[in-house]
Amino acid sequence: MRSVSVIGIGETKMGRFPDKSLRDLIQEAGEKAILDAGIERGDIKALYMSNFNAQFLCGQGHIGPLACEALGLGNIPALRVEGACASGSLAFRQALIAVASGLYDVVLVGGVEKMTHRSTEVVTEGIASAADIALEAGLGATFPSLFAMIANRYFHEYGNVRDEMALCAVQNHDNALLNPDAQLHKKITLEQVKNGVRIADPLTVFDCSLVSDGAAFLVLAATDLARAVSRKRVVEVIGCGQAGDTLTLASKRSLTTFDATLHAAAKAYAMAGINPADVGFAEVHDCFTITQLINIEDLGFFQKGKGALAIAQGKTAAKGSIPINLSGGLKAKGHPIGATGLSQIFEVVTQLRGDAGGRQAGNAEIGLTHNIGGTAATCVVNIFRGR
Amino acid sequence: MRSVSVIGIGETKMGRFPDKSLRDLIQEAGEKAILDAGIERGDIKALYMSNFNAQFLCGQGHIGPLACEALGLGNIPALRVEGACASGSLAFRQALIAVASGLYDVVLVGGVEKMTHRSTEVVTEGIASAADIALEAGLGATFPSLFAMIANRYFHEYGNVRDEMALCAVQNHDNALLNPDAQLHKKITLEQVKNGVRIADPLTVFDCSLVSDGAAFLVLAATDLARAVSRKRVVEVIGCGQAGDTLTLASKRSLTTFDATLHAAAKAYAMAGINPADVGFAEVHDCFTITQLINIEDLGFFQKGKGALAIAQGKTAAKGSIPINLSGGLKAKGHPIGATGLSQIFEVVTQLRGDAGGRQAGNAEIGLTHNIGGTAATCVVNIFRGR
């Protein structure tokens, strides 16, 4: 399999856009990515789209040809990939495999979600389709309650780290202040997080990620070609691992270690030939604050049970030893579900190009993205190197 | 890229199963395919699922890990692919690329849909998400009306072939009489089709495919391995082509020639190194009778405008020169949307193994599947050889 690089990136601002349709969001982010790559439309040989639940939230499926038509890409193959909140990374991985195999030289990957036009009840029902309807969501166990159980179990096993968990939200909000695409530009305090409206104990509204509209697109190319055609610093995909776990929380081996992350990360690190210590910064899946804490342990950045201390010590903050979610994460940048995994990669590529402005993470050479679906029933870990 | 073969197949009966959940359907068809392949569960390295719209119809997304858990496949990568009624073939193609590239040796591909528990209105709305909501379906142009416009345009360009079009339904019903998995075992006449309840002129209810529950699964393996492990006659995938077209009908170059089919078929024939005349039999996408007529022309079996005559002459009937939809097709076998593309392959493999019993198409060596999504906004053509 040959090397693949990201040669173009584009995303919309994340937020509430009642006047923008799915098509509008697709066109805005897609055109940006194509322009950024400096390629011709005709160079694109396939389109991999990610969307979580526009069928329920917008009445629109078949997003592949919708996007293909919106972007004027002709008769190329297009499809949609779905794996709950990991949909974007799954679409990326399918595109990666296709280019790496030699099937296509240049492909476009895009993700889109439109959520804010629906009521909280409808959005909650739509998101709940990522859990097991028969055994979980249909019984009332929607995601805040599932992750609250995970948090309580974590407290039981490793001690009450309520403050450190809350710090994840504080740090992500701080980071988002410097990201122009972020949905929220609003500094918050530890006390605000802890005293926020309680959603599912111990999680308050400040422990939860956002409901967002948005889109993100990437252009991938065989690295040999990328170096020839791209006007930008080429960012190579050096590792990619995908793994799964049971859909139901009750069937998992552990609630505080996500096996899907362990397996996906092990594959990605092995492919890249690196260790966790070689990673300069990472975008990790912070659907809830507890998730971010568990992830930085499962990814091997810190020992299990030691993540909270690291957070308290500022190691994951913007100027720490391994900055986490410099974009602001799902918590403050926003979480347009189908776009999220690709927006994570947008951030990593921006950083590795040295284009992140005020939120630039020094000159790290290696960045990682971690994206899960459901209660980590799906996980994709990607590793990138800027040269 | 290395050769890939189908080494295991399994499907449920298609029909109305109020007592069977998505999980039940997945387990039934998945277990059959694994058993048929004669492999161990641990041999399966990835799961590619297809589902069209369980998020809207059943409240269930994230079908990848749902199926993975239901089938006891552990932590392997799993995902869902969606491209309207072509979802099954798209999932198959992604699995094919992964095995052909050398990434995995053995993978499982499955499709499932559960539709009959919802009202006709809800099902119609769910299916309409495969069209452009903003520009078509939201304005009332659901699929029967879109394909009725296509039929009327075909009549305008090539003459009124109402009788020959109706014969597609008659022949597919005849074929389904011999398929134990078919939803309908009911002989119909030309007069019945023409005098049926009018849905959208000229289409009557007998020109429309069925609303169905069902699932179909396949095991794919690298051909070198397949020949070593499979107890059955190995069926090789010798051609696969995917192409797209605009989502909206109004933007298409032609209403009576589907460009997506032309492009997908050209790629598949080129990859297989064969001509249309080399195909012994085919399963083609008969969402409506007019679609079947257009498809047999676009696939090159008959000249444009000559398909109707060929149908009238019996060339596409079970004992004709190129039998079409020996399974009974979407019209009479059933159309559980996410499973349809895989059920088409189930039929072709069954035929090429010589296991089709009363509906066996002689000893043809090459069979083809053709699967579209929407008004042919997505198309996948696959070609198989039994040895």
Side-chain angles (χ1 to χ4, degrees):
Chain A
M1 303 266 254
R2 61 184 174 173
S3 167
V4 179
S5 290
V6 182
I7 66 165
I9 59 173
E11 72 177 14
T12 63
K13 186 168 166 28
M14 311 300 163
R16 181 184 297 266
F17 305 117
D19 297 334
K20 291 186 182 176
S21 65
L22 284 169
R23 177 180 272 102
D24 293 335
L25 295 167
I26 287 166
Q27 283 176 331
E28 182 181 334
E31 297 289 354
K32 280 183 185 174
I34 295 169
L35 190 68
D36 181 65
I39 57 169
E40 299 297 320
R41 231 159 273 264
D43 295 332
I44 298 168
K45 300 305 181 196
L47 172 62
Y48 292 80
M49 286 300 298
S50 155
N51 169 261
F52 168 47
N53 206 355
Q55 289 183 298
F56 179 79
L57 296 171
C58 309
Q60 184 66 66
H62 216 180
I63 296 276
L66 177 85
C68 208
E69 180 173 356
L71 294 168
L73 297 177
N75 295 105
I76 64 169
L79 55 76
R80 166 191 170 209
V81 176
E82 186 264 319
C85 301
S87 298
S89 296
L90 291 175
F92 172 79
R93 181 173 162 85
Q94 294 308 300
L96 177 69
I97 292 169
V99 178
S101 75
L103 184 62
Y104 307 118
D105 288 335
V106 179
V107 303
L108 185 65
V109 194
V112 65
E113 207 79 48
K114 190 163 165 59
M115 311 170 70
T116 67
H117 62 302
R118 303 304 298 267
S119 69
T120 301
E121 289 71 21
V122 171
V123 169
T124 301
E125 188 180 346
I127 295 175
S129 78
D132 191 306
I133 291 301
L135 303 175
E136 291 177 329
L139 311 174
T142 56
F143 280 100
S145 69
L146 291 167
F147 277 95
M149 287 192 271
I150 290 170
N152 283 316
R153 181 71 201 182
Y154 190 96
F155 292 1
H156 173 75
E157 291 182 20
Y158 302 108
N160 187 320
V161 293
R162 204 314 163 217
D163 281 11
E164 295 87 340
M165 204 172 80
L167 267 179
C168 293
V170 174
Q171 290 174 0
N172 289 353
H173 273 253
D174 283 348
N175 292 342
L177 291 171
L178 300 167
N179 182 357
D181 291 337
Q183 183 165 351
L184 294 185
H185 293 117
K186 174 179 161 184
K187 196 166 172 61
I188 57 171
T189 66
L190 189 61
E191 290 310 309
Q192 270 180 299
V193 178
K194 291 164 67 179
N195 298 326
V197 173
R198 203 150 295 262
I199 303 296
D201 192 72
L203 306 177
T204 74
V205 69
F206 288 102
D207 289 289
C208 306
S209 54
L210 307 177
V211 172
S212 316
D213 305 328
F217 276 72
L218 309 172
V219 181
L220 304 191
T223 300
D224 287 349
L225 290 167
R227 297 194 192 289
V229 305
S230 183
R231 303 171 304 184
K232 298 288 176 67
R233 195 170 164 192
V234 167
V235 173
E236 189 182 358
V237 189
I238 59 172
C240 177
Q242 183 194 342
D245 200 352
T246 60
L247 188 58
T248 54
L249 192 62
S251 304
K252 290 189 202 297
R253 185 182 64 84
S254 164
L255 298 194
T256 56
T257 295
F258 294 150
D259 279 352
T261 298
L262 297 187
H263 287 284
K267 288 182 207 174
Y269 287 134
M271 179 177 162
I274 66 163
N275 295 310
D278 299 321
V279 176
F281 64 96
E283 293 282 307
V284 311
H285 196 90
D286 58 318
C287 50
F288 298 93
T289 49
I290 183 62
T291 325
Q292 179 160 331
L293 170 54
I294 288 173
N295 295 339
I296 61 174
E297 297 174 345
D298 290 344
L299 288 165
F301 300 149
F302 306 103
Q303 285 189 317
K304 184 52 72 180
K306 305 291 184 193
L309 179 63
I311 292 167
Q313 291 172 334
K315 290 183 178 172
T316 59
K319 302 299 174 195
S321 54
I322 171 133
I324 300 294
N325 291 337
L326 284 160
S327 70
L330 287 54
K331 177 69 198 80
K333 182 193 61 186
H335 187 19
I337 298 180
T340 286
L342 301 172
S343 178
Q344 290 180 322
I345 298 171
F346 177 99
E347 176 67 19
V348 167
V349 170
T350 302
Q351 292 282 348
L352 292 176
R353 283 178 176 179
D355 291 344
R359 67 184 195 284
Q360 181 65 40
N363 54 2
E365 273 193 7
I366 294 179
L368 176 149
T369 64
H370 165 270
N371 191 198
I372 62 169
T375 48
T378 299
C379 181
V380 181
V381 172
N382 294 307
I383 305 174
F384 302 85
R385 176 179 281 141
R387 292 180 194 263
Chain B
M1 303 267 254
R2 62 183 173 172
S3 167
V4 179
S5 290
V6 182
I7 65 164
I9 59 173
E11 72 177 15
T12 63
K13 187 169 167 19
M14 311 300 163
R16 181 183 298 264
F17 305 118
D19 297 333
K20 290 186 183 178
S21 65
L22 284 169
R23 177 181 272 103
D24 293 335
L25 295 167
I26 287 167
Q27 283 177 329
E28 182 180 334
E31 297 289 355
K32 279 183 185 174
I34 295 169
L35 189 69
D36 181 65
I39 57 169
E40 300 297 321
R41 230 159 274 263
D43 295 332
I44 299 168
K45 300 306 180 197
L47 172 63
Y48 292 79
M49 286 300 298
S50 154
N51 170 261
F52 168 48
N53 206 353
Q55 289 183 300
F56 179 79
L57 296 171
C58 309
Q60 184 66 65
H62 215 181
I63 297 277
L66 177 84
C68 208
E69 180 173 356
L71 293 167
L73 298 177
N75 296 105
I76 64 169
L79 55 77
R80 166 190 169 211
V81 176
E82 186 264 319
C85 301
S87 298
S89 296
L90 292 174
F92 172 79
R93 181 172 162 84
Q94 294 307 301
L96 176 70
I97 292 168
V99 177
S101 74
L103 184 63
Y104 307 119
D105 287 335
V106 179
V107 304
L108 185 64
V109 194
V112 66
E113 206 78 49
K114 191 165 163 58
M115 310 172 71
T116 66
H117 61 302
R118 303 304 297 268
S119 69
T120 301
E121 290 71 21
V122 172
V123 168
T124 300
E125 189 181 346
I127 294 175
S129 77
D132 192 305
I133 291 300
L135 303 175
E136 291 177 330
L139 311 175
T142 55
F143 280 101
S145 68
L146 291 167
F147 278 94
M149 287 192 271
I150 290 169
N152 283 316
R153 181 71 200 181
Y154 190 97
F155 292 1
H156 173 75
E157 291 182 20
Y158 301 107
N160 187 321
V161 293
R162 203 319 164 214
D163 281 12
E164 295 86 342
M165 204 172 80
L167 267 180
C168 293
V170 173
Q171 290 175 359
N172 289 353
H173 274 253
D174 282 348
N175 292 340
L177 291 172
L178 299 167
N179 182 356
D181 291 337
Q183 183 165 351
L184 294 184
H185 293 117
K186 174 180 162 184
K187 196 167 173 60
I188 58 172
T189 66
L190 189 62
E191 290 310 309
Q192 271 180 298
V193 177
K194 291 164 67 180
N195 297 325
V197 174
R198 202 150 297 261
I199 304 296
D201 193 71
L203 306 177
T204 73
V205 68
F206 288 102
D207 289 289
C208 306
S209 54
L210 306 177
V211 172
S212 316
D213 306 327
F217 276 71
L218 309 172
V219 180
L220 304 191
T223 300
D224 286 349
L225 290 167
R227 296 193 192 290
V229 305
S230 182
R231 302 170 305 183
K232 298 286 177 67
R233 197 170 163 190
V234 166
V235 173
E236 189 182 359
V237 188
I238 59 172
C240 176
Q242 184 195 341
D245 201 353
T246 60
L247 189 58
T248 54
L249 191 62
S251 304
K252 290 188 203 296
R253 185 182 64 84
S254 164
L255 298 195
T256 56
T257 295
F258 295 150
D259 279 351
T261 298
L262 296 187
H263 288 283
K267 288 183 208 174
Y269 287 134
M271 178 176 161
I274 67 163
N275 295 310
D278 299 321
V279 176
F281 63 97
E283 293 283 307
V284 312
H285 196 91
D286 59 319
C287 51
F288 298 93
T289 48
I290 182 63
T291 326
Q292 178 160 332
L293 170 55
I294 289 174
N295 296 337
I296 61 174
E297 296 174 345
D298 290 344
L299 288 166
F301 300 149
F302 306 102
Q303 285 189 318
K304 183 53 70 182
K306 304 292 185 193
L309 178 63
I311 291 166
Q313 292 172 331
K315 290 183 178 172
T316 59
K319 301 300 174 193
S321 55
I322 171 131
I324 300 294
N325 290 337
L326 286 160
S327 70
L330 287 55
K331 177 68 199 81
K333 182 193 61 186
H335 186 19
I337 299 180
T340 286
L342 301 172
S343 179
Q344 289 180 320
I345 298 172
F346 177 99
E347 176 67 19
V348 168
V349 171
T350 302
Q351 292 282 348
L352 292 176
R353 283 178 175 178
D355 291 345
R359 67 184 194 283
Q360 181 66 40
N363 53 4
E365 273 193 6
I366 294 179
L368 176 149
T369 65
H370 165 271
N371 191 198
I372 62 169
T375 48
T378 299
C379 181
V380 182
V381 172
N382 295 306
I383 305 173
F384 302 85
R385 176 178 279 141
R387 291 182 195 262

